[in-house]
Amino acid sequence: QLQLVESGGGLVQPGGSLRLSCAASGFAFDYYGIGWFRQAPGKEREGLSCISNGGGNTNYADSVKGRFTISRDNAKNTVILQMTGLKPEDTGVYFCAAGRSPAAAICPAVPHKERYDFWGQGTQVTVSA
């Protein structure tokens, strides 16, 4: 019953903040790296941030660096994406994903979607005045 469930999306004004959660169940969460991805209408799914299995290594895309923060609580099987200074171009469906390959588990760079095995269904974020 492996499962990833995103929550916390919604409508927010430019400059606002949102806190997205990714709740995991059914697998050995602390062995998996977690990535956050975004898919805007008509665009490819892009990697935003990742965190290593132990939480000691993180990476961010240039477009969100300094505005988004990723963290994890392995005791709660949860990963958080705290988003601040939101812009209209941040609008899209946000997904969390888990992977055990080195590229995912270690999080050496901005995540790539092909390196992740388990995906949530996404949560919509709309940034609009």
Side-chain angles (χ1 to χ4, degrees):
Q1 297 194 37
L2 61 93
Q3 188 171 258
L4 294 168
V5 179
E6 303 94 338
S7 62
L11 176 64
V12 64
Q13 296 202 162
S17 299
L18 282 174
R19 182 180 184 269
L20 304 184
S21 295
C22 175
S25 61
F27 64 99
F29 180 74
D30 58 346
Y31 284 87
Y32 286 75
I34 304 295
W36 281 98
F37 298 79
R38 177 175 68 205
Q39 189 159 20
K43 303 291 182 65
E44 294 185 37
R45 193 169 299 184
E46 63 175 331
L48 301 177
S49 182
C50 62
I51 188 165
S52 59
N53 52 13
N57 198 41
T58 61
N59 271 290
Y60 299 89
D62 287 344
S63 61
V64 306
K65 193 175 300 180
R67 299 189 296 122
F68 291 11
T69 302
I70 191 170
S71 61
R72 69 189 292 163
D73 186 341
N74 285 354
K76 297 180 179 179
N77 287 3
T78 300
V79 172
I80 301 297
L81 186 68
Q82 179 66 52
M83 307 187 296
T84 62
L86 286 164
K87 306 173 181 179
E89 53 263 43
D90 292 319
T91 294
V93 179
Y94 284 67
F95 300 86
C96 66
R100 283 206 66 193
S101 67
I106 299 172
C107 181
V110 176
H112 298 281
K113 59 185 180 182
E114 67 274 11
R115 307 309 303 165
Y116 290 80
D117 304 306
F118 307 144
W119 291 82
Q121 292 186 330
T123 185
Q124 175 71 224
V125 172
T126 302
V127 184
S128 176

